[in-house]
Amino acid sequence: LVTSDSQRALETAEIVGAVTGLPARPDLRLRERGLGHWEGLTREEVAQLYPDEYADWLAGGDVSRRGGETRDAVAARALAAFGELPIVTTTVVVTHSATAMALTNALLGIEQRVHPLGLLAAGDGAEVYTDRFEGRAPSWRLRGHNLGVPGTVLPLPVPPGDEAPDADA
């Protein structure tokens, strides 16, 4: 269980860790994409303060012209973090939409300026898998994109005395 070191990602990782028993390992390379002088602004504020830049971004332009990170830079740092993970059956990476999309594209060999899978919705994720063979680099495949369920996703602990009645009773 590896996570961005941002507060909201850490909180999500703590929930996953409580259910799985895994400690969350923060990694700053999984942070959200740096947006330069747009940092801390809402989309509405950016559209109002920087209409030309906002229109360029909506058309697919990279934020590097605004002092932010390129998609390739985000992919490189996330891929470096991902590449250092131990080889285990399942790994959960808690990160942010732009970082997750850049990482998924990098693993699948998709150019960073293209997002054929579409944007990731808040709280949703992508699932990639591989068959690792000795001496060969893994070949990643996409199992699902925008995976998520509205409402409670993980079973929450039930306080003693609040158990639901047996369905067979």
Side-chain angles (χ1 to χ4, degrees):
L1 175 57
V2 64
T3 179
S4 160
D5 64 342
S6 79
Q7 188 60 40
R8 62 189 169 143
L10 287 167
E11 289 172 6
T12 300
E14 286 175 15
I15 293 167
V16 174
V19 173
T20 63
L22 296 172
R25 183 173 60 90
D27 190 320
L28 62 92
R29 295 172 294 181
L30 296 173
R31 285 181 180 168
E32 181 59 282
R33 180 181 185 183
L35 296 176
H37 66 258
W38 289 8
E39 290 289 338
L41 301 176
T42 65
R43 283 183 184 222
E44 293 77 21
E45 291 169 330
V46 171
Q48 182 180 14
L49 295 170
Y50 309 106
D52 293 340
E53 292 178 6
Y54 186 69
D56 178 54
W57 178 72
L58 286 177
D62 226 331
V63 295
S64 61
R65 292 185 292 265
R66 297 171 274 284
E69 288 181 283
T70 65
R71 291 177 183 96
D72 287 324
V74 175
R77 68 174 162 80
L79 196 55
F82 192 81
E84 293 175 11
L85 295 173
I87 297 173
V88 294
T89 305
T90 302
T91 299
V92 176
V93 177
V94 179
T95 188
H96 311 273
S97 180
T99 306
M101 290 187 313
L103 177 59
T104 301
N105 277 1
L107 290 172
L108 298 175
I110 299 171
E111 181 183 340
Q112 290 301 324
R113 292 199 45 84
V114 177
H115 291 295
L117 304 173
L119 299 176
L120 279 172
D124 286 358
E127 183 178 350
V128 294
Y129 70 99
T130 186
D131 297 320
R132 291 182 184 250
F133 298 100
E134 197 70 32
R136 276 192 3 197
S139 174
W140 293 96
R141 296 173 190 93
L142 183 68
R143 182 169 285 149
H145 184 75
N146 264 330
L147 301 171
V149 179
T152 303
V153 176
L154 300 172
L156 300 174
V158 178
D162 286 352
E163 292 88 5
D166 187 339
D168 293 331

